[in-house]
Amino acid sequence: QVQLVESGGGLVQPGGSLRLSCAASGSIFSIDAMGWYRRSPGKQRELVAEITSGGSINYADSVKGRFTISRDNVKNTVRLQMNSLKPEDTAVYYCNAAHWVARTRFDDWGQGTQVTVSS
């Protein structure tokens, strides 16, 4: 199992920037991908960005060009730089670590950090 601790988040005005960080510990050798998901009130949790061990990156269409995900495989951290934030980016953001066994995906989650974009 992987333990994930998030930091960052908070309140920011529209157009502003925030950076989220996530540190992984535990069975880190098993991690195939790390990423960020978010859940807005009344909505299901959705993928924001994900990066694999090989460096492949996937972004949600809604954040492309505004958010940047990066990963440090030595420090076992993943970061999400969020620029040009919009009110619709308001959500609880969750760090995720995923690994596959055969064709089955297993996920570990952080506790979540609130991001609020409001004037």
Side-chain angles (χ1 to χ4, degrees), residues 13-31:
Q13 292 186 343
S17 298
L18 282 175
R19 186 174 70 179
L20 305 181
S21 296
C22 174
S25 61
S27 302
I28 56 176
F29 58 89
S30 67
I31 298 174

Side-chain angles (χ1 to χ4, degrees), residues 9-97:
L11 174 64
V12 65
Q13 292 186 343
S17 298
L18 282 175
R19 186 174 70 179
L20 305 181
S21 296
C22 174
S25 61
S27 302
I28 56 176
F29 58 89
S30 67
I31 298 174
D32 293 312
M34 294 187 73
W36 294 91
Y37 287 69
R38 67 186 181 189
R39 179 181 286 152
S40 304
K43 295 184 179 181
Q44 291 186 335
R45 185 163 52 192
E46 62 176 357
L47 172 70
V48 177
E50 186 172 70
I51 181 168
T52 68
S53 297
S56 297
I57 294 175
N58 183 33
Y59 291 105
D61 288 342
S62 59
V63 307
K64 285 180 180 177
R66 300 189 298 122
F67 291 11
T68 302
I69 190 170
S70 60
R71 180 174 174 179
D72 186 328
N73 289 326
V74 175
K75 296 182 178 179
N76 301 310
T77 58
V78 63
R79 292 180 175 176
L80 185 68
Q81 178 66 42
M82 305 184 292
N83 299 328
S84 303
L85 282 161
K86 304 176 181 180
E88 51 264 43
D89 294 318
T90 295
V92 178
Y93 284 71
Y94 297 90
C95 182
N96 169 268

Side-chain angles (χ1 to χ4, degrees), residues 100-111:
W100 280 265
V101 177
R103 295 185 179 183
T104 301
R105 173 173 171 145
F106 296 87
D107 294 284
D108 290 294
W109 298 95
Q111 77 282 2

